[in-house]
Amino acid sequence: MVDLIFVVSNTHDFHRDNLTINPDHYSSIRHLGASVLSSVQTSFGANVYFNTHITVDNLMFKYGIIDVKDFRQDLQSWYTLYIAGRLHKPVLMLRDEGFSDLVMHNLRSAVHAALLQLPEKFSEIDLYTAIAGLSYRGDFRMIIGEDKNKVSNIVQPQIEKFRTLYTPVFKSMSNRLSINSFVEQDKSLENKLYHLQRLPQNLKNILFRSYKNKFNNDRILEDLAKQDDVSKIVRNGICRIVFYSSLMQSIKGIPTAGLLKSVIYSYSKLNKMVKSMFL
């Protein structure tokens, strides 16, 4: 199934117009009107509204709608990591409405977070796997429904696309990162602090709240950089973001997709996972 994301300037107007043009894309919740649809979209979860199992000319896809302000917030701060995480992977940008700097900021954030969780020396594929896996950490669906090899299945066939996507970021960090047959990074205290300081604001806020009673409030990042388990600390912070947003988004999917589509979608996920276990 192809995934599409529409970044719109007014979610109410989008749903109002789309209900007129494509009413069959929506579940029975459509009868409540565009105002309710827009409210459901933005009231909880990842601020995304999905219409699923849409077929046009034998192509099956689902599409999500997100307001431009929520899109910007997620890429800048990792408020939910739901859309930001999708853009850590190679995607096809159908229209670029001046988002290129924001997308690049999100890619740099992903590299900073991944490097904090990796050792001094590792393979290039380890790096891309760590990056692609950020938004799956803490996702409850990885426990009960998703293929456990999902991240590897994303990275392995697209290694060249990952390389193209992240090469500009690596070049900007060439004094801290060496990529040859293996990738090597400087794990000094200074470098760990450098990466911690450049994590997205929501992730840093979680770290501040978690350790404000243990460390000096003015030096929390400096103290975290000194911890032997800083990689685990960062990983746990990411898990906290992903768990809540993925859980609430999945709950929201029941009324927005409709019960039948939700059951079909869950069954297809489970069936795919079972097949992968025996291949």
Side-chain angles (χ1 to χ4, degrees), residues 105-121:
H105 172 82
N106 182 46
L107 296 179
R108 286 195 295 267
S109 296
V111 173
H112 290 306
L115 290 176
L116 281 165
Q117 298 176 67
L118 289 164
E120 287 185 309
K121 189 174 182 179

Side-chain angles (χ1 to χ4, degrees), residues 19 27 45 78 99 114 132 136 168 180 182 218 235:
L19 281 169
S27 69
W78 287 8
F99 292 139
Y136 294 110
N180 296 301
F182 278 88
D218 297 326
R235 188 179 307 119

Side-chain angles (χ1 to χ4, degrees), residues 174-190:
S174 58
N175 61 325
R176 302 174 188 274
L177 200 63
S178 173
I179 302 180
N180 296 301
S181 55
F182 278 88
V183 184
E184 296 183 70
Q185 65 166 325
D186 180 357
K187 294 285 285 187
S188 66
L189 179 63
E190 176 192 355

Side-chain angles (χ1 to χ4, degrees), residues 92-125:
L92 176 62
M93 195 78 71
L94 299 178
R95 287 182 62 182
D96 181 358
E97 299 292 338
F99 292 139
S100 55
D101 289 345
L102 193 61
V103 170
M104 183 57 65
H105 172 82
N106 182 46
L107 296 179
R108 286 195 295 267
S109 296
V111 173
H112 290 306
L115 290 176
L116 281 165
Q117 298 176 67
L118 289 164
E120 287 185 309
K121 189 174 182 179
F122 46 91
S123 69
E124 187 182 14
I125 201 163

